[in-house]
Amino acid sequence: MIADLEKAPPRTMPIDLSRIAPASPRSSTAVITLPDGWHALLPKNSSYAGLLGDFAITFEQVGNELRISRTISGARGVVGADRIADVLAALKHLVTYNARTIPVQKQ
């Protein structure tokens, strides 16, 4: 999405923020059971509240259970085309919250 917006011609139409992330709150949790003696190297918990809404991601391990929880509540409303730079900056900031991998090691 970011690359497409950056390549697009200058924007003239307003931006509907609810089209970027769902406005209704959503949460999901993934639970992974690790083998005995294994420990995840957890990323930092992160949160964002701003132009695009509210986002949070948490990582925790209790015993053998690795739990990753994410909550998203996108913004409602419309902003002018002149805010495209702000939208792009917020999207780039949010991309840093996604851990593609979580290393695990045997203790």
Side-chain angles (χ1 to χ4, degrees), residues 10-93:
R11 190 167 184 98
T12 59
M13 299 298 291
I15 303 163
D16 181 351
L17 297 175
S18 67
R19 301 284 305 239
I20 296 173
S24 58
R26 296 182 183 192
S27 55
S28 60
T29 299
V31 179
I32 302 164
T33 302
L34 300 175
D36 288 338
W38 286 81
H39 178 71
L41 303 173
L42 300 175
K44 291 181 181 179
N45 294 337
S46 301
S47 63
Y48 165 89
L51 178 64
L52 300 182
D54 298 311
F55 303 83
I57 188 163
T58 59
F59 305 89
E60 67 176 330
Q61 182 175 345
V62 176
N64 291 1
E65 192 173 274
L66 170 61
R67 183 177 298 266
I68 305 162
S69 300
R70 184 172 68 167
T71 304
I72 300 171
S73 180
R76 292 183 174 93
V78 176
V79 296
D82 60 324
R83 300 286 309 272
I84 190 65
D86 297 330
V87 170
L88 283 168
L91 286 170
K92 288 177 183 177
H93 182 72

